[in-house]
Amino acid sequence: FPNPSQDNGNLQLSLKKKEHVIVSLTDLNGRVVKELANGEMTEGDHTIQFSTAELASGMYLVTVDDGTMKQVKKLAVQH
């Protein structure tokens, strides 16, 4: 995703096998402000497109959880 993001972002992820994946966007207080994905994803590469236009400018955390591993990255939103 572009960082900082102004209106839209793209998150790319690659799965080695079919898994249930939850991708969420949280503020720095831990509140989920947007759920980007929640469901089964097949093996291979995936792109999740999302809008940040409705979010206030600031720092957010993008969390990808596949049940066995959780990955967190920072995202700056700037309008």
Side-chain angles (χ1 to χ4, degrees):
F1 41 81
N3 207 355
S5 175
Q6 292 183 343
D7 293 319
N8 296 298
N10 292 305
L11 174 66
Q12 297 179 347
L13 57 106
S14 182
L15 300 175
K16 295 181 181 178
K17 61 180 181 173
K18 180 180 174 181
E19 299 187 72
H20 185 93
V21 177
I22 300 171
V23 182
S24 56
L25 189 62
T26 60
D27 64 17
L28 295 181
N29 293 319
R31 289 184 297 245
V32 175
V33 294
K34 194 169 202 175
E35 190 170 77
L36 306 178
N38 186 349
E40 294 290 324
M41 289 189 176
T42 58
E43 174 184 349
D45 296 330
H46 299 270
T47 300
I48 300 170
Q49 297 178 342
F50 59 96
S51 171
T52 58
E54 71 280 3
L55 300 175
S57 294
M59 291 298 294
Y60 295 86
L61 300 175
V62 178
T63 303
V64 179
D65 186 348
D66 67 8
T68 57
M69 185 179 77
K70 188 182 283 191
Q71 194 172 24
V72 180
K73 295 198 179 224
K74 290 181 184 177
L75 171 66
V77 173
Q78 191 174 49
H79 298 293

